[in-house]
């Protein structure tokens, strides 16, 4: 059958497998991350008009001047956050489409996700529900302050670029927990990995990335 004529061709298993092959070729090794990305349908998280491009390795617009992150970056950040471990409680800042939230929900016990744009949050919540996930909680707020009520977290993932490392997020890390965050205020930012250690925090630079800015709410 012609893949593009069967109505679901663009989103077929074969199309998704090609994306996973590409992620492998780009150095993603964590099989749990690759399996989650194979199984979770990314086209559900973008507008129907863009569904045919959902399995390209590219960021796509989701309205409100925001984007769903490039699959490679989602994989890279998730792999760095997990570091091959089982995580119980994870915080995400910047729910956006809810795609990264869903990948996390498939891999950890509980996901807490903060988003400042209400229509995006509502859509994200409905997508996770429709896909059958129950282990998540959303909050409409400025994520720069984290989510103190549920801290400490075994991992924190920020999907918008912070001009500086938010101290509130560091302080909500459990011992040995990791924070993955793009830092910088230029067009490109440094993806950083912060680990809470017995002595304080270890700070490592992973690679250059391209995120929308983490906006500070006016209060
Ligand atoms: N993880 C998302 C990527 C979303 S883009 C996905 O998979 O689709 C970044 C998101 O961060 C946007 O939705 C933006 O509204 C949100 N954001 C920016 N600043 C924020 C802040 N201070 N608090 C919470 N969310 C914020």
């Amino acid at each position: 059958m012609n893949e593009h004529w069967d109505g679901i061709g663009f989103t077929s298993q074969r199309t998704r497998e090609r994306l996973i092959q590409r992620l492998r070729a780009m150095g993603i090794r964590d099989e749990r991350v690759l399996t989650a990305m194979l199984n979770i349908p990314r086209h559900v998280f973008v507008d129907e008009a863009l569904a045919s491009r959902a399995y390209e390795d590219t960021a796509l617009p989701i309205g409100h001047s925001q984007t769903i992150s490039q699959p490679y970056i989602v994989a890279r950040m998730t792999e760095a956050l997990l570091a091959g471990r089982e995580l119980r409680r994870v915080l995400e800042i910047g729910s956006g489409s809810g795609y990264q939230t869903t990948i996390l929900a498939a891999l950890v016990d509980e996901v807490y996700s903060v988003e400042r744009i209400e229509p995006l949050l509502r859509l994200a919540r409905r997508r996770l529900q429709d896909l059958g996930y129950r282990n998540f909680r959303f909050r409409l707020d400025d994520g720069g302050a984290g989510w103190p009520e549920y801290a400490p977290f075994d991992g924190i993932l920020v999907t918008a670029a912070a001009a500086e490392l938010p101290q509130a997020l560091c302080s909500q890390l459990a011992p040995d927990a990791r924070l993955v965050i793009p830092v910088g205020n230029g067009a490109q930012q440094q993806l950083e990995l912060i680990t809470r250690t017995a002595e304080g925090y270890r700070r490592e630079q992973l690679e250059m990335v391209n995120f929308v800015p983490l906006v500070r709410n006016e209060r």
Side-chain angles (χ1 to χ4, degrees), residues 53-216:
R53 303 191 55 200
Y55 300 96
E56 293 174 16
D57 188 27
T58 175
L60 293 168
I62 55 172
H64 308 271
S65 310
Q66 306 301 323
T67 56
I68 180 172
S69 308
Q70 179 194 352
Y72 166 72
I73 294 297
V74 171
R76 180 84 170 95
M77 291 177 82
T78 309
E79 187 173 67
L81 188 80
L82 296 182
R85 300 174 302 178
E86 304 275 340
L87 302 188
R88 211 168 65 79
R89 185 175 281 199
V90 166
L91 174 68
E92 175 191 34
I93 307 301
S95 324
S97 68
Y99 178 67
Q100 172 77 73
T101 323
T102 308
I103 299 289
L104 292 171
L107 293 168
V108 309
D109 290 350
E110 304 166 9
V111 185
Y112 297 81
S113 187
V114 186
E115 169 59 54
R116 58 183 287 277
I117 300 177
E118 190 174 20
L120 290 179
L121 185 154
R122 251 189 279 122
L123 262 176
R125 179 185 284 133
R126 186 165 352 118
R127 287 166 178 152
L128 268 91
Q129 281 168 350
D130 288 351
L131 289 170
Y133 290 91
R134 296 287 175 269
N135 58 333
F136 62 89
R137 202 172 275 224
F138 284 105
R139 167 174 171 159
L140 183 70
D141 207 341
D142 177 354
W147 198 337
E149 289 85 346
Y150 290 102
F153 297 96
D154 304 316
I156 302 178
L157 198 154
V158 182
T159 64
E164 281 159 33
L165 193 58
Q167 204 44 54
L169 297 183
C170 293
S171 69
Q172 289 173 31
L173 289 171
D176 296 322
R178 296 173 148 216
L179 163 64
V180 180
I181 180 171
V183 182
N185 46 24
Q188 287 218 308
Q189 310 92 30
Q190 184 66 242
L191 186 63
E192 298 203 18
L193 169 63
I194 287 83
T195 309
R196 184 161 206 163
T197 66
E199 295 78 39
Y201 301 99
R202 185 173 63 241
R203 198 165 169 173
E204 296 162 71
Q205 309 202 316
L206 299 181
E207 61 188 271
M208 295 307 285
V209 289
N210 204 324
F211 274 90
V212 297
L214 185 73
V215 176
R216 295 183 87 116

